[in-house]
Amino acid sequence: MTPQRSRGRGHGRPRPPGPKRENVPELHPVEEPPDIATFAEWPLGADIQRAIAAMDIVKPTPIQALAIGPVLSGRDVIAKAQTGTGKTLAFGAPMMAKIDAARATVLGLVMCPTRELAQQVHGVLATLGFPRGVRVAMCVGGDPLHPQIAELQAGAQVVVGTPGRILDLYQQRFLSFPWTEFVVLDEADKMFEIGFIDDIKQILSYTPEERQTLLFSATFPNEVLKLAREATRNPLEVATSAGTVPVDTVEQCFMTIDDDDRPM
């Protein structure tokens, strides 16, 4: 017979207290974008302007209007914007405009949660950097290691990758960040969900304290906001007024399955 659990006050073993939830101040973002009609209003340089024009992009999206100017001015930025709003160009255009193509060291590091997102970001940054001679290497798990090492050894100034592979290459001494000027965390909430937060903190500890840190996320769970505040210095907080509602360019679907087909 299963013994009954005592419900009397003061009986039984007391439950140990759970971990104390740290009170992190809420995000207080600027939501009203400045009235920017074209990318030509920012001093991005002729090469970057031509690359953006070649993408058939004319008017900046709200997150681009909010973030590009501050990034150009050297500010750390914590940005809240949903998927599909142009976040890559929001950090990529000013970063690629400021990176010195003559230096053969990693000046920009972009961390993404998945291989697929890293590929998309790499494509945009490579397009922006090509006219200026800025090399962009992609370092992600699931792809052969040696071609990625070759890109690094060829003098890539920007690295786009997933935290696990970046950490692996650092530990093997194929990657280092002594002069890194920009660190970008793209879709930080997804990296938290996957379990990359500890890896990210470790990688950040290898980069210079005076770096410029840009953190973009659709949502800000407590742990992500805590990381954002710890990783940045006097950051400007911005957000699109649409919040986290999916944009029209994102197609959503669902599939119904039987209970027997669900993973246990």
Side-chain angles (χ1 to χ4, degrees):
M1 178 180 297
T2 303
Q4 291 185 344
R5 183 172 297 171
S6 172
R7 296 183 183 178
R9 186 174 181 180
H11 295 283
R13 180 177 299 175
R15 179 179 296 177
K20 185 177 181 181
R21 181 179 177 86
E22 183 172 346
N23 186 22
V24 179
E26 293 182 2
L27 199 70
H28 293 288
V30 175
E31 295 184 348
E32 188 64 33
D35 186 15
I36 304 290
T38 70
F39 288 87
E41 296 185 40
W42 289 301
L44 293 167
D47 290 331
I48 299 294
Q49 298 285 8
R50 282 192 293 267
I52 293 172
M55 298 178 190
D56 293 326
I57 301 173
V58 179
K59 183 174 176 59
T61 65
I63 194 59
Q64 291 164 0
L66 283 163
I68 289 178
V71 176
L72 279 172
S73 69
R75 290 290 301 272
D76 286 5
V77 173
I78 298 175
K80 180 179 180 181
Q82 66 270 37
T83 300
T85 55
K87 290 183 289 183
T88 303
L89 207 59
F91 64 77
M95 180 179 73
M96 300 303 282
K98 296 177 72 175
I99 281 179
D100 186 354
R103 298 175 64 186
T105 186
V106 178
L107 301 175
L109 173 65
V110 183
M111 287 184 272
C112 304
T114 65
R115 177 178 180 271
E116 291 72 23
L117 180 60
Q119 287 176 322
Q120 296 174 27
V121 172
H122 175 271
V124 173
L125 298 188
T127 299
L128 292 171
F130 180 76
R132 299 196 60 239
V134 178
R135 298 182 180 185
V136 184
M138 189 171 74
C139 300
V140 296
D143 284 358
L145 191 62
H146 292 293
Q148 297 177 11
I149 293 172
E151 285 188 324
L152 296 174
Q153 292 177 334
Q157 291 92 0
V158 177
V159 171
V160 180
T162 49
R165 178 54 62 90
I166 291 169
L167 197 56
D168 183 24
L169 288 165
Y170 180 90
Q171 291 169 343
Q172 295 189 53
R173 299 186 179 182
F174 291 115
L175 187 56
S176 61
F177 312 105
W179 309 110
T180 299
E181 298 172 348
F182 296 90
V183 174
V184 182
L185 306 184
D186 192 14
E187 296 203 8
D189 53 349
K190 300 301 181 185
M191 289 194 275
F192 169 67
E193 291 174 9
I194 294 172
F196 279 142
I197 287 291
D198 288 340
D199 287 350
I200 291 169
K201 291 179 179 178
Q202 190 171 352
I203 293 167
L204 288 172
S205 72
Y206 301 146
T207 62
E209 290 186 3
E210 60 271 19
R211 67 179 185 267
Q212 188 173 350
T213 307
L214 314 173
L215 193 144
F216 286 72
S217 187
T219 61
F220 278 91
N222 194 67
E223 190 68 20
V224 174
L225 190 51
K226 181 174 181 289
L227 172 66
R229 296 270 168 68
E230 291 174 347
T232 55
R233 297 177 300 167
N234 187 30
L236 175 68
E237 299 178 357
V238 300
T240 55
S241 58
T244 59
V245 178
V247 294
D248 295 337
T249 54
V250 177
E251 180 179 348
Q252 299 187 85
C253 61
F254 69 93
M255 180 181 296
T256 58
I257 60 173
D258 295 332
D259 288 341
D260 293 340
D261 295 327
R262 294 176 182 272
M264 299 301 291

